[in-house]
Amino acid sequence: DGGITQSPKYLFRKEGQNVTLSCEQNLNHDAMYWYRQDPGQGLRLIYYSQIVNDFQKGDIAEGYSVSREKKESFPLTVTSAQKNPTAFYLCASAREDKAYEQYFGPGTRLTVT
Amino acid sequence: QKEVEQNSGPLSVPEGAIASLNCTYSDRGSQSFFWYRQYSGKSPELIMFIYSNGDKEDGRFTAQLNKASQYVSLLIRDSQPSDSATYLCAVTGSARQLTFGSGTQLTVLP
């Protein structure tokens, strides 16, 4: 089955801890994206990557970091510098020639207390 | 001013009726427009995209685009309770980025 997987589905952390969210895809997509969604709000772009070993900041990159060492994987680290990390985190991927037609993984719901 | 605006709803329609969801955008340079459906607690699912002015139909869904008015809509014909979800409008921005609206919550009443 082709698709995008995110793990874990739910994640709980104490304030001050860094946490890494996993995103893997086997769709052979070049582009990958991280969004966060807060209750009653749309998606906001954190980081995106169009090619291995390259990534760009989105609208709300502060307090987050990413890596793209493999085409299939785009992990997101939520650092202790992120002031309001509790949110629903969504990873998406797209073909390079259809970068706007993005397909989403199931998401990770992060709660920091 | 928000870049992509949607009426948050909730919008309620009876089963079998037409649901009309609206979206306006501020960037006149936007070229591509998307509708995502998001069930509660789930991730968004791409259901329609439209690039040219006019209508695009896919089954019970019709997307309508009017670039002059910076307006895109989604019509759902013969609405079913399973259509109850939040519908997100997304438009292209710069550098291959999508900008999302905050979504309209639709409830189809049996």
Side-chain angles (χ1 to χ4, degrees):
Chain A
D1 278 343
I4 306 172
T5 58
Q6 291 185 246
S7 60
K9 188 172 182 180
Y10 297 97
L11 192 54
F12 298 88
R13 282 293 183 269
K14 293 290 188 185
E15 199 172 307
Q17 294 179 335
N18 291 356
V19 59
T20 297
L21 281 57
S22 167
C23 177
E24 305 275 334
Q25 54 95 4
N26 62 4
L27 300 167
N28 199 34
H29 284 173
D30 291 293
M32 297 186 74
Y33 307 81
W34 274 106
Y35 294 89
R36 75 175 270 170
Q37 187 177 35
D38 295 283
Q41 297 191 31
L43 282 63
R44 291 184 290 168
L45 182 65
I46 305 172
Y47 268 99
Y48 64 102
S49 168
Q50 296 171 337
I51 196 169
V52 173
N53 292 324
D54 188 43
F55 47 83
Q56 286 77 41
K57 294 181 179 180
D59 299 322
I60 56 165
E62 185 175 349
Y64 300 98
S65 65
V66 294
S67 63
R68 186 88 187 274
E69 297 176 3
K70 299 186 301 182
K71 186 175 184 177
E72 302 79 18
S73 178
F74 191 40
L76 173 74
T77 296
V78 184
T79 75
S80 56
Q82 168 48 233
K83 290 184 171 48
N84 297 296
T86 295
F88 188 37
Y89 289 88
L90 290 155
C91 178
S93 70
R95 283 170 43 174
E96 197 276 338
D97 60 339
K98 292 190 175 184
Y100 298 127
E101 295 178 25
Q102 297 178 15
Y103 296 88
F104 287 84
T108 292
R109 199 166 295 276
L110 173 65
T111 302
V112 177
T113 57
Chain B
Q1 181 187 3
K2 285 187 181 177
E3 295 180 42
V4 179
E5 297 235 26
Q6 296 182 254
N7 188 331
S8 61
L11 172 66
S12 295
V13 299
E15 184 174 354
I18 296 175
S20 178
L21 305 164
N22 304 315
C23 174
T24 58
Y25 60 95
S26 60
D27 183 358
R28 284 198 170 274
S30 295
Q31 294 293 319
S32 306
F33 307 85
F34 302 82
W35 284 99
Y36 285 82
R37 178 177 61 200
Q38 186 175 26
Y39 292 114
S40 181
K42 303 295 186 183
S43 61
E45 173 193 8
L46 179 62
I47 56 171
M48 287 287 287
F49 55 86
I50 186 167
Y51 301 143
S52 305
N53 274 332
D55 294 0
K56 178 182 178 182
E57 188 174 315
D58 183 1
R60 295 186 296 111
F61 298 102
T62 298
Q64 299 176 318
L65 175 60
N66 184 326
K67 289 186 178 180
S69 300
Q70 296 175 244
Y71 177 94
V72 58
S73 64
L74 179 70
L75 302 178
I76 306 175
R77 289 183 300 282
D78 188 25
S79 295
Q80 301 297 309
S82 59
D83 294 325
S84 298
T86 296
Y87 290 81
L88 300 169
C89 172
V91 308
T92 55
S94 59
R96 295 174 179 249
Q97 295 180 29
L98 283 176
T99 300
F100 286 83
S102 56
T104 297
Q105 185 181 343
L106 172 66
T107 300
V108 180
L109 303 169

